[in-house]
Amino acid sequence: MSSTKKQYKRVTTNSLIEMKKNGEKISMLTAYDYTMAKIVDAANIDVILVGDSASNVMAGHETTLPITLDQMIYHASSVVRASQRSLVVVDLPFGSYQSDPKIALRSAIRIMKESGGHAVKLEGGKEIKDSIKKILGAGIPVMGHLGLTPQSIYKFGTYTVRAKAEAEAKKLIEDAKSLEKLGCFSIVLEKVPAELAAQVACELQIPVIGIGAGAGVDGQVLVTHDMVGMTHEFHPRFLRRYLNLFEDMSNAFQQYSKDVKSQNFPNNQEQY
Ligand code: KIV
């Protein structure tokens, strides 16, 4: 493990692999719009994920399934315009890659061409290997996503921890190894036991980035709106809230309304 932290002007997929080799943990947060991405990028977060969680956070859907490829491209292009240092990874939405490798490639190409994103993320293991191969064959970097894969929520039935049983844990390890073998540059592991996640990270050369996967992986990702407390109805055990923006913003909005109604705003200095 190296003691000096390398400075990256622009984080690339190779930088992430180098960080793992050097024992430097990788930070990743979501963003879906220009203003949030500006703040995340300026904070030196290594990877910005334009997650399909935009479907929940931005659009208020119950699941990630309804968001479309066009909508993901809109979000991703706003994020790319804001990013100077972070690697921008964009989720391929539900329905844009599962049916046929050619469709998967077409979707990935649209993301890269129309948004300017730097890589795509797909949920699933061996069952989507042909799509991953096809995308990688076109020179597009792919991040995998195993464990709890929210696009399959109707198959799982719940958002509880995955791979607790031995058979599912074994499949997850095999899937992770096959994603690495195919050429994925990194894998997200969502909501799996910490011990299993640490084992996967230890057995792979590529970085494993966890969400609810414990401390033994190579990096962490959180949904930004959750970690700054803009959302407040979601309380999973893995979530650390660094701010309580729902309350702070709500107080500010209430104060503004009072000031408008009492004619305290605008004052003499706040007009022309
Ligand atoms: O869409 C998303 O935000 C994600 C993260 C939870 C990893 O996939």
Side-chain angles (χ1 to χ4, degrees), residues 30 32 49 51-53 91 121 145 188 190 211 221 223:
T30 58
Y32 321 107
L49 172 66
D52 59 358
S53 50
D91 266 341
K121 176 163 82 60
H145 184 152
V188 164
E190 181 165 352
I211 173 162
V221 55
V223 170

Side-chain angles (χ1 to χ4, degrees), residues 229-230 232 244-254:
M230 284 173 94
H232 72 144
N244 188 355
L245 283 189
F246 186 95
E247 204 176 301
D248 291 349
M249 290 172 81
S250 171
N251 288 341
F253 299 156
Q254 287 175 46

Side-chain angles (χ1 to χ4, degrees), residues 80-147:
V80 167
R81 281 193 288 277
S83 122
Q84 290 184 335
R85 177 185 177 275
S86 311
L87 177 80
V88 178
V89 179
V90 186
D91 266 341
L92 279 183
F94 178 70
S96 71
Y97 61 95
Q98 292 92 342
S99 57
D100 173 337
K102 276 192 195 157
I103 292 174
L105 176 59
R106 207 172 303 143
S107 303
I109 288 177
R110 279 202 62 203
I111 295 237
M112 302 299 281
K113 238 181 158 47
E114 296 176 40
S115 80
H118 309 138
V120 296
K121 176 163 82 60
L122 284 74
E123 295 183 5
K126 283 188 196 128
E127 52 300 340
I128 54 157
K129 75 172 185 335
D130 292 338
S131 292
I132 293 178
K133 249 194 223 163
K134 194 95 183 148
I135 295 170
L136 286 167
I140 300 171
V142 174
M143 179 180 266
H145 184 152
L146 298 171

Side-chain angles (χ1 to χ4, degrees), residues 183-209:
C184 290
F185 70 92
S186 175
I187 295 174
V188 164
L189 270 191
E190 181 165 352
K191 245 180 156 183
V192 299
E195 203 178 318
L196 172 66
Q199 183 189 342
V200 174
C202 179
E203 291 184 16
L204 298 192
Q205 305 298 311
I206 57 170
V208 174
I209 300 177

